[in-house]
């Protein structure tokens, strides 16, 4: 599958990679202490979510490198 950028066709995988790389670099630049604080806030927010308490099934997320824990 391809997507058009200007007059050239760029494969979707290449477009995804082009978007992910700078975002990954930005995420990696976040100090570890700030990343940990944000992870704790996200977890607290999720635990307050009413639909989570009513769920019969949940998915598990495993963070990699600088992703949110």
């Amino acid at each position: 599958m391809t997507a058009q950028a200007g007059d050239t066709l760029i494969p979707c995988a290449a477009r995804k990679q082009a978007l992910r790389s700078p975002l990954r670099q930005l995420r990696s630049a976040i100090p570890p202490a700030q990343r940990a604080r944000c992870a704790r806030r996200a977890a607290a927010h999720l635990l307050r979510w009413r639909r989570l308490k009513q769920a019969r099934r949940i998915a598990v997320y495993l963070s990699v490198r600088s992703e949110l824990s």
Side-chain angles (χ1 to χ4, degrees):
M1 183 175 274
T2 58
Q4 191 168 351
D7 293 329
T8 58
L9 293 176
I10 302 171
C12 284
R15 284 177 44 88
K16 277 177 139 177
Q17 187 60 36
L19 290 171
R20 286 179 174 164
S21 290
L23 292 173
R24 191 177 295 123
Q25 289 173 351
L26 287 171
R27 189 178 64 223
S28 293
I30 298 170
Q34 182 179 354
R35 220 179 295 143
R37 240 184 349 267
C38 290
R40 285 191 301 272
R41 288 183 66 193
H45 178 74
L46 180 65
L47 291 173
R48 287 191 305 268
W49 196 33
R50 185 181 310 170
R51 291 190 70 174
L52 177 67
K53 294 175 184 173
Q54 298 169 347
R56 291 179 29 175
R57 295 184 194 102
I58 59 169
V60 175
Y61 170 84
L62 179 61
S63 62
V64 179
R65 292 185 282 284
S66 63
E67 292 177 343
L68 188 66
S69 295

